[in-house]
Amino acid sequence: MEEAERRKATNETLFRAVNEQIERLQKPFALTDTEPLHIVCECDSLTCAQRITVPVEAYELTRADPTQFFVCPGHEDKEVEDVIDTGGDYLIVRKHPGVPERIARDTDPRNG
Ligand SMILES: [Zn+2]
C-alpha cells in the first residue's frame, strides 16, 4: 500500500464528512424536499473547493454505500476509484477493493 494512495483515500473521507454536515444544516432550510444539495467535491485534492449540486435523492442513494463518493468531472482518480455513474455536472465514483475501500468503510459517517 502506497502512502500516497492512503492519503488520497483519507482526504476524500474528510470531504464526505463535510458534506454530511452540509446536508444536515441545509435540509431544515430547504423549501421543498426536492431542493438540491450544494455539496463540495469529494476528490482527493485538499485544495479543491469546487461545488457540486446534487439532488437529495441521488445524494442519499450514493451515500447509502460507504465506498461511493461525488467528484467533479475530471477529478476522479483511477488509481483508487472507478466512475460508476454521472449526474451531468458530477460523477459518482466507487473505491477500489482493498485499502481505499477499507478506509472508506472505516470512516463511514453513517455507521456508528
Ligand atoms: Zn475536486
Side-chain angles (χ1 to χ4, degrees):
M1 178 63 188
E2 297 297 324
E3 180 55 33
E5 203 175 325
R6 187 186 303 274
R7 193 169 57 239
K8 284 176 185 173
T10 304
N11 289 353
E12 297 191 351
T13 65
L14 290 177
F15 290 117
R16 174 174 60 189
V18 168
N19 284 337
E20 287 286 273
Q21 291 293 333
I22 288 174
E23 189 199 26
R24 201 167 302 149
L25 293 169
Q26 195 180 314
K27 253 185 177 173
F29 296 104
L31 297 176
T32 68
D33 287 344
T34 55
E35 196 147 313
L37 291 169
H38 302 283
I39 61 171
V40 294
C41 177
E42 296 174 348
C43 77
D44 54 35
S45 168
L46 283 179
T47 57
C48 176
Q50 291 266 8
R51 291 305 196 98
I52 300 175
T53 303
V54 181
V56 172
E57 203 175 30
Y59 183 82
E60 286 296 327
L61 272 173
T62 301
R63 200 85 307 157
D65 182 335
T67 67
Q68 295 178 174
F69 290 80
F70 293 95
V71 299
C72 295
H75 291 209
E76 70 275 19
D77 188 335
K78 298 277 167 57
E79 279 181 38
V80 294
E81 62 209 8
D82 287 320
V83 175
I84 57 166
D85 204 359
T86 174
D89 59 349
Y90 61 86
L91 303 177
I92 297 169
V93 297
R94 180 180 286 143
K95 295 293 152 193
H96 289 164
V99 172
E101 181 193 9
R102 206 183 66 229
I103 291 173
R105 287 189 189 282
D106 286 351
T107 57
D108 181 9
R110 300 206 170 182
N111 182 23

